[in-house]
Amino acid sequence: MHTFPRLLLASLLALGAFGAFAQQDTPSGEPDVTIREEDDKTIEEYRVNGFLYAIKVTPKFGKPYFLVRADGNDANFVRSDEPTMRIPAWKIFEW
């Protein structure tokens, strides 16, 4: 007679713990925004699940602009308002 309530309580606790674990693994739709201040501009990096997909640059004087990925390469970003303008990414030295 006492085993049924204990079994029911144990199963409810197990389901509650499993539900909390499952919620942590689901990706969120909200981006993680990292804001950095540099000399004359503010840089906001937008990431989803650790993947950097956009950068917003707000200069101290001038209009803000976005840099978005041109392709799958990590260092290849283009301005969203000027998609034909390529941002230079040269290797000067490599060891």
Side-chain angles (χ1 to χ4, degrees):
M1 193 80 173
H2 293 293
T3 56
F4 180 72
R6 289 181 186 167
L7 186 60
L8 182 63
L9 180 63
S11 63
L12 288 175
L13 289 175
L15 286 175
F18 179 72
F21 179 72
Q23 287 178 354
Q24 291 175 357
D25 289 346
T26 57
S28 66
E30 295 294 317
D32 294 326
V33 181
T34 304
I35 301 173
R36 294 183 292 144
E37 293 284 334
E38 288 193 2
D39 297 330
D40 58 345
K41 60 189 162 222
T42 302
I43 298 174
E44 300 175 33
E45 296 178 346
Y46 293 87
R47 299 176 190 270
V48 172
N49 296 329
F51 178 75
L52 177 65
Y53 69 91
I55 301 171
K56 180 180 179 183
V57 180
T58 307
K60 194 170 267 188
F61 304 105
K63 296 188 325 184
Y65 58 92
F66 278 91
L67 298 174
V68 294
R69 287 189 175 271
D71 56 10
N73 193 358
D74 287 339
N76 200 3
F77 285 89
V78 295
R79 284 181 62 157
S80 62
D81 56 346
E82 298 175 13
T84 58
M85 183 177 147
R86 305 283 293 191
I87 306 298
W90 299 303
K91 285 187 181 178
I92 305 295
F93 294 105
E94 186 171 331
W95 302 94

